[in-house]
């Protein structure tokens, strides 16, 4: 029994500290950590719904693209939008090409994370939004990339506006498996 306890303790110590703090069932390879001045937002990414979009978000997070990027469009009762690391105002995107739509039947409800796009369904690039409330009018028309596992209290505190004056920012964005 003692050997089993020692082996279990060794395994726990081998797991990165961040992974130990994730909500139950979270996969560190598909969990996004978004640090804001209001606290950490933990997002479960959904490669089962949108593999290309999830890969893009992880790629940009790993490149540091999202660090210090503002929440440029935040509408009370609707959503908080961010991810324009090029211009910060919602008019820019990454150096990578736009992504083809990966629509699903997953409903847009509180805490769901979706990809922002223009009128062209195949124009998502780097920007994403977090829902404050339900938005069934988006269902099947925008790509769902994840859901907030913890930190909606931080999302609720993000400064509102369209555009936002002196916006809150994503201070640091990391894939949980890479977090330091």
């Amino acid at each position: 029994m003692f050997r089993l306890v020692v082996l279990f303790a060794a395994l726990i110590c081998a797991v990165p500290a961040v992974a130990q703090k994730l909500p139950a069932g979270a996969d560190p390879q598909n969990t996004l950590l978004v640090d804001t001045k209001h606290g950490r937002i933990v997002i479960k990414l959904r490669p089962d719904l949108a593999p290309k979009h999830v890969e893009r978000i992880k790629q940009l997070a790993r490149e540091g693209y999202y660090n210090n990027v503002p929440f440029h469009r935040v509408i009370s009762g609707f959503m908080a939008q961010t991810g324009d690391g090029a211009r910060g105002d919602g008019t820019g995107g990454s150096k990578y090409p736009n992504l083809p739509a990966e629509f699903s039947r997953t409903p847009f409800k509180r805490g769901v994370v979706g990809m922002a796009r223009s009128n062209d369904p195949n124009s998502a690039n780097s920007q994403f939004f977090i829902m404050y409330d339900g938005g069934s009018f988006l269902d099947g028309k925008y790509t769902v990339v994840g859901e907030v596992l913890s930190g909606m209290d931080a999302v609720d505190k993000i400064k509102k506006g369209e555009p936002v004056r002196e916006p809150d920012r994503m201070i640091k964005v990391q894939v949980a498996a890479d977090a330091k």
Side-chain angles (χ1 to χ4, degrees):
M1 180 69 173
F2 178 73
R3 285 185 184 161
L4 188 59
V5 171
V6 171
L7 178 62
F8 183 70
L11 287 173
I12 290 176
C13 291
V15 176
V18 173
Q20 292 179 35
K21 296 178 184 176
L22 293 176
D27 170 12
Q29 290 295 334
N30 288 301
T31 301
L32 198 65
L33 307 176
V34 179
D35 292 324
T36 72
K37 73 178 187 179
H38 304 295
R40 176 170 277 177
I41 304 162
V42 178
I43 298 171
K44 174 184 178 180
L45 296 173
R46 298 286 308 269
D48 58 314
L49 299 178
K52 292 176 183 167
H53 288 73
V54 167
E55 274 309 307
R56 172 68 56 80
I57 288 172
K58 290 172 21 177
Q59 177 182 27
L60 294 174
R62 287 180 166 132
E63 291 176 2
Y65 180 85
Y66 289 130
N67 294 341
N68 201 36
V69 172
F71 286 92
H72 63 271
R73 182 174 178 235
V74 185
I75 303 169
S76 185
F78 180 32
M79 59 86 208
Q81 185 171 332
T82 186
D84 179 0
R87 298 188 184 121
D89 63 2
T91 63
S94 74
K95 63 184 177 184
Y96 301 108
N98 290 343
L99 296 162
E102 294 180 294
F103 301 154
S104 69
R105 294 177 186 244
T106 302
F108 279 87
K109 59 184 181 179
R110 180 172 170 78
V112 164
V113 181
M115 285 298 279
R117 63 172 178 81
S118 69
N119 287 335
D120 178 355
N122 300 309
S123 63
N125 187 286
S126 65
Q127 296 183 43
F128 60 91
F129 56 91
I130 303 170
M131 298 296 292
Y132 282 122
D133 206 347
S136 60
F137 57 93
L138 301 175
D139 295 354
K141 297 178 182 128
Y142 284 78
T143 299
V144 173
V145 294
E147 60 191 274
V148 174
L149 293 178
S150 64
M152 275 305 292
D153 57 325
V155 177
D156 289 335
K157 294 174 186 170
I158 294 170
K159 188 175 181 183
K160 312 292 188 280
E162 188 182 8
V164 184
R165 289 187 175 189
E166 298 178 27
D168 288 328
R169 297 176 173 273
M170 296 189 293
I171 297 166
K172 187 173 186 179
V173 179
Q174 307 171 81
V175 176
D178 306 336
K180 297 175 182 160

